[in-house]
Amino acid sequence: MRKPLIICDFDGTITTNDNIISIMKQFAPNEWIALKDGVLSKEISIQEGVGGMFALLESSLREEMTAFVLEQAEIRAGFKEFVAFLDECGIPFYVVSGGMDFFVYPLLEGIVERERIYCNKADFTGESIAIDWPHLCDDKCENECGCCKPSIIRRLKGEDDFLVMIGDSVTDVEAAKRSDLRMARDYLLKECEALHLNHIAFQDFHDVKRALEETREVKEWLLENSAGRSLPK
Ligand code: MG
Ligand code: ZN
């Protein structure tokens, strides 16, 4: 019997857009574009690219920037219900995000506790914004991920766990390769097709919930572990 474990990306997955990109478009000088392109083409690491982008912004922007990102961000349909469903079933769920604490935490407030969120931390104490990286790559990863999803998976995943990852972009590919099932959209969807990784396309979290409920390993686990719980129909 395999126990399901769900890990979920934040930007572009839980939210409908990428919050770092939105911030840069609004506040950064044009140099950010070369850094973004460098990350997408894998010429520079995510850590170097994202760190470099935030270094272009003055710390004094903090309040304006935070207000802006919280105002424009939108949580994808069905997310709250999806998390409630997992909690009801006792299926562990973690958010693993290359985003920053100052927008990830408030946007997930009341839905996912901070203990279940892995993300980066912005430091506003210097003249320009610096990034603390609390979840750096372990000795098995050399990608300079910034927030290293493969390393976090190695820590969270038990040997027999059935790992389902949910994501959308280039920063999810390494995690996808280490998962048993992928819920994918956008870039990650094309990548799963190209790499022949077992996956399900989704538009929103109603789709994700439905797909999980129809997954054999999840169904088996729910049947075995539904004692005392109201099994979802
Ligand atoms: Mg993403
Ligand atoms: Zn890494």
Side-chain angles (χ1 to χ4, degrees):
M1 172 74 49
R2 303 184 70 189
K3 177 167 187 175
L5 166 68
I6 320 290
I7 67 159
C8 186
D9 172 53
F10 184 74
D11 282 273
T13 299
I14 295 175
T15 57
T16 52
N17 63 345
D18 187 302
N19 295 291
I20 294 179
I21 300 291
S22 303
I23 289 170
M24 295 301 149
K25 278 186 181 160
Q26 182 76 6
F27 296 102
N30 284 335
E31 288 102 300
W32 79 274
I33 294 169
L35 290 163
K36 176 205 63 171
D37 291 344
V39 171
L40 292 180
S41 64
K42 294 177 184 155
E43 274 158 63
I44 57 173
S45 70
I46 301 169
Q47 190 176 350
E48 185 184 350
V50 173
M53 284 191 240
F54 276 94
L56 296 169
L57 303 175
E58 285 182 24
S59 292
S60 59
L61 282 168
R62 181 179 191 161
E63 277 181 32
E64 194 188 342
M65 196 176 67
T66 306
F68 166 79
V69 70
L70 299 188
E71 166 70 30
Q72 57 84 47
E74 202 182 302
I75 302 287
R76 196 174 292 279
F79 180 68
K80 213 174 166 169
E81 297 89 326
F82 175 64
V83 176
F85 159 75
L86 295 177
D87 287 349
E88 202 178 305
C89 299
I91 297 177
F93 173 79
Y94 297 90
V95 174
V96 178
S97 166
M100 302 299 149
D101 58 346
F102 71 88
F103 61 82
V104 177
Y105 286 160
L107 286 169
L108 290 178
E109 185 84 55
I111 309 175
V112 184
E113 305 84 354
R114 291 187 181 196
E115 297 73 52
R116 298 199 283 168
I117 302 171
Y118 292 81
C119 65
N120 297 313
K121 196 171 171 328
D123 174 358
F124 297 93
T125 56
E127 196 160 306
S128 60
I129 303 171
I131 306 302
D132 290 342
W133 310 97
H135 311 292
L136 287 171
C137 302
D138 63 18
D139 57 8
K140 293 193 180 67
C141 183
E142 290 174 348
N143 286 327
E144 291 178 49
C145 303
C147 179
C148 185
K149 298 186 182 193
S151 301
I152 292 168
I153 288 174
R154 278 188 278 279
R155 287 216 300 278
L156 290 176
K157 188 181 178 297
E159 209 179 317
D160 292 330
D161 285 357
F162 181 77
L163 177 59
V164 182
M165 66 81 63
I166 310 165
D168 74 305
S169 84
V170 63
T171 56
D172 297 309
V173 174
E174 292 306 311
K177 288 179 189 166
R178 288 159 179 81
S179 300
D180 297 297
L181 175 63
R182 303 95 191 147
M183 306 279 178
R185 54 178 302 281
D186 204 39
Y187 178 97
L188 185 67
L189 179 59
K190 296 191 192 87
E191 198 69 9
C192 285
E193 285 163 2
L195 296 172
H196 304 290
L197 297 170
N198 161 34
H199 68 277
I200 296 167
F202 75 93
Q203 298 290 335
D204 62 31
F205 283 91
H206 299 297
D207 301 339
V208 176
K209 177 173 177 277
R210 250 191 317 269
L212 262 192
E213 286 172 311
E214 285 162 14
T215 299
R216 182 174 53 84
E217 287 82 354
V218 176
K219 273 202 247 178
E220 285 175 0
W221 190 85
L222 285 176
L223 270 177
E224 234 8 74
N225 293 276
S226 59
R229 288 199 190 94
S230 53
L231 193 64
K233 309 241 156 45

